[in-house]
Amino acid sequence: MTDAVFRPARMLPGRLLENARVLPSRDHILPLLPKGGVFCEVGVALGDFSELVLAQCEVSEFIAIDIYTLHDYPEMWGGRVGATLAGRRHADFFADRFAPYVRSGRVRLAEGNSTDVLATLPDASVDVFYVDAHHSYEAVRAELDIIKDKTRPEGIIILNDYIMHDYMTGTPYGVVAAAHDFMIEHDWEMLYFALHAGMFCDVAIRRARAAPPPG
Ligand SMILES: C[S@@+](CC[C@H](N)C(=O)[O-])C[C@H]1O[C@@H](n2cnc3c(N)ncnc32)[C@H](O)[C@@H]1O
């Protein structure tokens, strides 16, 4: 258990859900995203999701934000971290995994605390954010508050681990509460709700569209 606090989420108003579509998994979001844009993944870990994005989204640039310290936790994920890194530092492993993209400049490793790195991005410069770093309310809320100014007008923010509690580690998560507070306060609507076998779901949100005229 951790000392993270359980935080119930505010109910979303129906108008922020009117255009939402339910999908079988987060992988099903990828073909629906705009092609050729700038994609920023906040928390890349070993790059498993990054690989899917690079294979399917034809990104012009992929910004890979992480603190890159997984080499300090080889026992994580049942030992998969240590076995995969095989003695390499986290950032070196990630750069090696995507070496051709890194060489061509399409993948850029951005090492540091998420909010510090996000603050350095130009305003309105990113088409899609994938938020999957620390899952406390405070961390996600702080990231979203920066990300909203960095997202292009038609841009999309996807949040992973849209779940109240990580039942594998006994950790309360603040992703749902942070997402709802952000959506209500800044008028962002849900676009996709992507299911997951263990209900570690994803949501994709965008700036709310004006309601179509009746009739
Ligand atoms: C759940 S993993 C990401 C998994 C990855 N998105 C995927 O789906 O394959 C979380 C990652 O976030 C990173 N992380 C955690 N807190 C962070 C922070 N405050 N700033 C930057 N990265 C952070 C960790 O180092 C870890 O690699």
Side-chain angles (χ1 to χ4, degrees), residues 1-2 4 164-173:
M1 284 290 286
T2 72
M164 300 305 286
H165 184 259
D166 181 345
Y167 50 83
M168 319 272 273
T169 62
T171 311
Y173 277 1

Side-chain angles (χ1 to χ4, degrees), residues 11-207:
M11 187 170 75
L12 291 173
R15 69 183 175 77
L16 296 182
L17 298 170
E18 271 168 10
N19 297 315
R21 191 172 147 195
V22 182
L23 299 174
S25 79
R26 69 176 182 173
D27 297 2
H28 289 76
I29 299 176
L30 297 181
L32 305 174
L33 294 175
K35 300 267 188 292
V38 176
F39 194 109
C40 177
E41 183 173 353
V42 185
V44 293
L46 300 173
D48 294 348
F49 193 63
S50 318
E51 185 166 284
L52 297 179
V53 172
L54 289 165
Q56 295 185 46
C57 295
E58 297 170 23
V59 298
S60 58
E61 186 185 6
F62 183 92
I63 305 164
I65 298 179
D66 206 291
I67 40 176
Y68 291 104
T69 55
L70 285 186
H71 47 262
D72 290 332
Y73 308 96
E75 74 292 346
M76 220 166 126
W77 299 329
R80 189 166 88 82
V81 167
T84 305
L85 295 182
R88 284 169 290 180
R89 294 181 61 79
H90 182 182
D92 293 339
F93 168 82
F94 190 89
D96 283 351
R97 180 168 181 174
F98 299 105
Y101 291 105
V102 173
R103 273 198 297 275
S104 71
R106 258 170 92 197
V107 167
R108 176 162 70 85
L109 278 72
E111 186 167 349
N113 190 50
S114 57
T115 47
D116 295 340
V117 179
L118 286 165
T120 67
L121 301 178
D123 284 353
S125 62
V126 175
D127 296 279
V128 181
F129 278 98
Y130 190 77
V131 179
D132 189 15
H134 198 282
H135 298 100
S136 69
Y137 177 89
E138 290 72 20
V140 177
R141 196 55 222 262
E143 289 168 347
L144 287 173
D145 284 340
I146 299 171
I147 282 173
K148 84 172 154 34
D149 296 328
K150 309 300 177 183
T151 312
R152 291 203 165 117
E154 303 295 311
I156 293 171
I157 305 172
I158 307 169
L159 295 118
N160 178 248
D161 291 325
Y162 181 80
I163 187 170
M164 300 305 286
H165 184 259
D166 181 345
Y167 50 83
M168 319 272 273
T169 62
T171 311
Y173 277 1
V175 179
V176 182
H180 289 199
D181 282 355
F182 176 81
M183 291 166 72
I184 292 165
E185 287 164 31
H186 297 289
D187 204 30
W188 283 58
E189 66 178 0
M190 195 179 291
L191 183 58
Y192 305 121
F193 175 44
L195 299 173
H196 175 269
M199 289 308 277
F200 287 87
C201 300
D202 284 43
V203 285
I205 62 176
R206 67 178 177 190
R207 290 178 177 87

